[in-house]
Amino acid sequence: MFDRKKYEGKRALRRWPKWLPAAAAVALIATLAVGGTLAWLSAYTQPVKNTFVMGTVPPQVTESFNQKVKEDVKVTNHGNIPAYIRVALVCTWQDDSRNVVGEPASLDDLIIDWGTEGGSETAEAPGNGWIKIGDYYYYTQPVAAGDTTFNLIDSARVKDDAATNGYHMNLQVIADSIQANPTSVVQSQWGVMVDENGAITGSTNN
């Protein structure tokens, strides 16, 4: 005979204790909290990536010119790192079609006002932070990214007795630059000496 009271007693034994649902809820919350923490840490502890940007030091000559006088000749470092800058001055006689003609030209055919501060108003000692070494004019100090040198030439014009046969003087200012750090680079590549203050002082060939 089926004993209902005996069956209900066994069924009662299978009921969850009253504290179990609460404990399970706490455990679930704890699990979610840990999961959230792990997700957060995962999002903000990625491997560090070192991105190196290639240094560039493109120089640009700036000057003003009115067909008779070239003025305010200087060079700007348009790169993203400091650079040493040097300049070559190349003179040629040209006809109206810009063909090179006649005898070789030289700076002696020009009247040049150099950037004279600290110099002697001559091609050999132009001053204004520039020195002549061999065939180049060197700006002695590194030029920061975006900065401009002082004038190498304040003004230049052809001597009255230099122009012949209607030829025109073409004074080209050709700039060259090289990274400033480490200084061993400019020393080895350009063959110049650099002092403890980072200033170019002369040639290593002297």
Side-chain angles (χ1 to χ4, degrees), residues 4 6 25 28-29 41-42 53 61 67 84 102 111-112 118 121 133 146 164 172 189 198 200:
R4 183 181 183 86
K6 184 177 181 180
L28 179 60
I29 292 173
L41 292 175
S42 176
V53 178
V61 175
Q67 294 186 340
Y84 287 106
I111 296 174
I112 298 178
E121 299 186 12
I133 304 174
T164 59
Q172 290 181 284
Q189 296 299 311
I200 294 176

Side-chain angles (χ1 to χ4, degrees), residues 23-187:
V26 171
L28 179 60
I29 292 173
T31 301
L32 291 175
V34 172
T37 301
L38 291 176
W40 182 275
L41 292 175
S42 176
Y44 288 87
T45 56
Q46 298 296 328
V48 175
K49 295 181 180 179
N50 294 313
T51 302
F52 297 93
V53 178
M54 183 67 69
T56 60
V57 287
Q60 180 178 346
V61 175
T62 59
E63 60 188 17
S64 59
F65 183 61
N66 66 3
Q67 294 186 340
K68 291 185 177 181
V69 181
K70 185 187 290 283
E71 296 179 315
D72 298 326
V73 177
K74 50 188 174 288
V75 183
T76 299
N77 174 13
H78 280 287
N80 54 19
I81 57 175
Y84 287 106
I85 289 174
R86 67 181 181 180
V87 163
L89 299 177
V90 180
C91 301
T92 55
W93 290 109
Q94 297 181 351
D95 60 20
D96 290 338
S97 299
R98 297 185 178 275
N99 297 311
V100 177
V101 294
E103 296 295 324
S106 73
L107 295 181
D108 293 334
D109 295 322
L110 299 167
I111 296 174
I112 298 178
D113 292 328
W114 300 91
T116 56
E117 184 176 346
S120 60
E121 299 186 12
T122 67
E124 298 304 313
N128 232 16
W130 294 89
I131 61 173
K132 188 174 187 293
I133 304 174
D135 295 329
Y136 288 93
Y137 294 87
Y138 292 80
Y139 199 67
T140 58
Q141 293 290 340
V143 180
D147 282 359
T148 303
T149 67
F150 290 119
N151 283 2
L152 170 60
I153 295 174
D154 286 337
S155 67
R157 61 183 178 86
V158 179
K159 293 179 179 178
D160 292 338
D161 59 353
T164 59
N165 299 321
Y167 296 151
H168 311 290
M169 168 69 75
N170 179 24
L171 174 58
Q172 290 181 284
V173 182
I174 303 173
D176 190 13
S177 62
I178 194 170
Q179 67 185 68
N181 295 306
T183 56
S184 58
V185 175
V186 68
Q187 289 174 311

Side-chain angles (χ1 to χ4, degrees), residues 133-134 138 187-193 202-206:
I133 304 174
Y138 292 80
Q187 289 174 311
S188 63
Q189 296 299 311
W190 285 1
V192 295
M193 295 183 294
S203 172
T204 56
N205 297 322
N206 292 339

